[in-house]
Amino acid sequence: MIISKARSYVFVHIPKTAGTALTLALEARAAKDDLIIGDTPKARQRRKRLADLTPAGRLWKHATLADIDGVLSAQELDKMFCFTLVRNPWDRAVSYYHWLRAQSFDHPAVGLAQEMAFGPFLRHPETVRAFRNSPAGFYMIDAAGNERCDAYIRIEHLAQDLKPLETHLGFDLTVGRVNSSDRAVDYRSYYDDDLAEFVAALCAEDIARFGYEF
């Protein structure tokens, strides 16, 4: 997440949507007082700035707009350009699974991914709950229950969907590729028809909203 009062924007980082790459692009042009929350170089350098803040929720890399109530007032948030990245859910699920398998921290999802094949992992109740309870819009709901998003940026159409953000910033962004997982490039190779239909039902809201197809 990045909160920039100088440039009047909030970037909400939904997991496994190439958010680190966009964070790096944004922090390359960061204003002096930007709050950068995560594990990128400038986020680590500025971590002490977060100590005295009083957010309503957890102030971390994947915080929601509701979480940062108290860091920004409702009046301040009104003036912000709020945006996030989204990704084809079938592709995102593959990325999430392989990322978890490479982790060593203690979390139920890590254990499940390391113990299970891809299909059983996706069908596990914990995974189902995580995907079902947090469509893209969930991250962009403020403390008053209102969805605020000036740009949902599809990573598959990055150059096109970045335009409103670049217009707001007044400069173009160069977004590289980082944190690539060890997986096949074509996500479709991980699915049979039944599993593809399972994800279609599980992520129906985002699929319909952003025009995704298997």
Side-chain angles (χ1 to χ4, degrees), residues 2 13 18 35 46 48 64 71-72 128 152 154 167 197 203:
I2 301 178
H13 182 172
L35 295 176
R46 301 183 182 194
K48 289 183 179 179
T64 69
V71 177
L72 292 176
V128 169
Y152 284 105
R154 298 165 296 173
T167 298
E197 290 177 7
C203 302

Side-chain angles (χ1 to χ4, degrees), residues 4 6-7 29-36 42 46 49:
S4 177
R7 293 197 168 103
R29 300 285 296 269
K32 180 175 63 175
D33 297 327
D34 285 0
L35 295 176
I36 306 172
K42 285 186 180 177
R46 301 183 182 194
R49 300 182 184 184

Side-chain angles (χ1 to χ4, degrees), residues 138-164:
F138 163 80
Y139 289 88
M140 308 307 294
I141 295 173
D142 66 17
N146 302 309
E147 184 175 334
R148 298 172 178 261
C149 192
D150 296 284
Y152 284 105
I153 299 168
R154 298 165 296 173
I155 69 170
E156 301 84 4
H157 303 278
L158 192 62
Q160 170 187 329
D161 288 2
L162 275 175
K163 291 301 182 185

Side-chain angles (χ1 to χ4, degrees), residues 4-94:
S4 177
K5 291 185 179 181
R7 293 197 168 103
S8 301
Y9 76 76
V10 178
F11 167 48
V12 176
H13 182 172
I14 297 174
K16 306 315 298 174
T17 59
T20 298
L22 183 54
T23 298
L24 288 168
L26 290 164
E27 75 172 29
R29 300 285 296 269
K32 180 175 63 175
D33 297 327
D34 285 0
L35 295 176
I36 306 172
I37 306 162
D39 49 19
T40 55
K42 285 186 180 177
R44 291 192 294 269
Q45 293 169 11
R46 301 183 182 194
R47 196 162 285 166
K48 289 183 179 179
R49 300 182 184 184
L50 310 180
D52 296 327
L53 301 177
T54 56
R58 181 183 176 193
L59 198 59
W60 70 305
K61 180 178 181 177
H62 301 303
T64 69
L65 285 185
D67 289 330
I68 64 171
D69 185 46
V71 177
L72 292 176
S73 68
Q75 292 74 25
E76 288 174 316
L77 192 58
D78 280 340
K79 301 173 184 177
M80 295 291 194
F81 185 94
C82 299
F83 63 97
T84 191
L85 291 164
V86 296
R87 183 179 192 172
N88 182 306
W90 290 279
D91 189 21
R92 182 172 173 241
V94 172

Side-chain angles (χ1 to χ4, degrees), residues 71-191:
V71 177
L72 292 176
S73 68
Q75 292 74 25
E76 288 174 316
L77 192 58
D78 280 340
K79 301 173 184 177
M80 295 291 194
F81 185 94
C82 299
F83 63 97
T84 191
L85 291 164
V86 296
R87 183 179 192 172
N88 182 306
W90 290 279
D91 189 21
R92 182 172 173 241
V94 172
S95 180
Y96 179 54
Y97 173 73
H98 283 274
W99 178 80
L100 287 171
R101 286 177 64 84
Q103 304 310 307
S104 58
F105 59 86
D106 184 18
H107 190 279
V110 172
L112 289 174
Q114 293 176 351
E115 294 165 6
M116 294 181 169
F118 179 60
F121 168 78
L122 277 188
R123 296 180 187 274
H124 191 280
E126 290 298 322
T127 309
V128 169
R129 187 177 300 111
F131 275 79
R132 182 169 289 151
N133 291 348
S134 54
F138 163 80
Y139 289 88
M140 308 307 294
I141 295 173
D142 66 17
N146 302 309
E147 184 175 334
R148 298 172 178 261
C149 192
D150 296 284
Y152 284 105
I153 299 168
R154 298 165 296 173
I155 69 170
E156 301 84 4
H157 303 278
L158 192 62
Q160 170 187 329
D161 288 2
L162 275 175
K163 291 301 182 185
L165 171 60
E166 291 172 331
T167 298
H168 174 82
L169 294 172
F171 55 81
D172 292 342
L173 291 166
T174 300
V175 182
R177 184 169 183 174
V178 298
N179 289 347
S180 298
S181 56
D182 183 15
R183 47 160 288 193
V185 173
D186 188 350
Y187 64 84
R188 292 171 295 184
S189 65
Y190 291 91
Y191 292 89

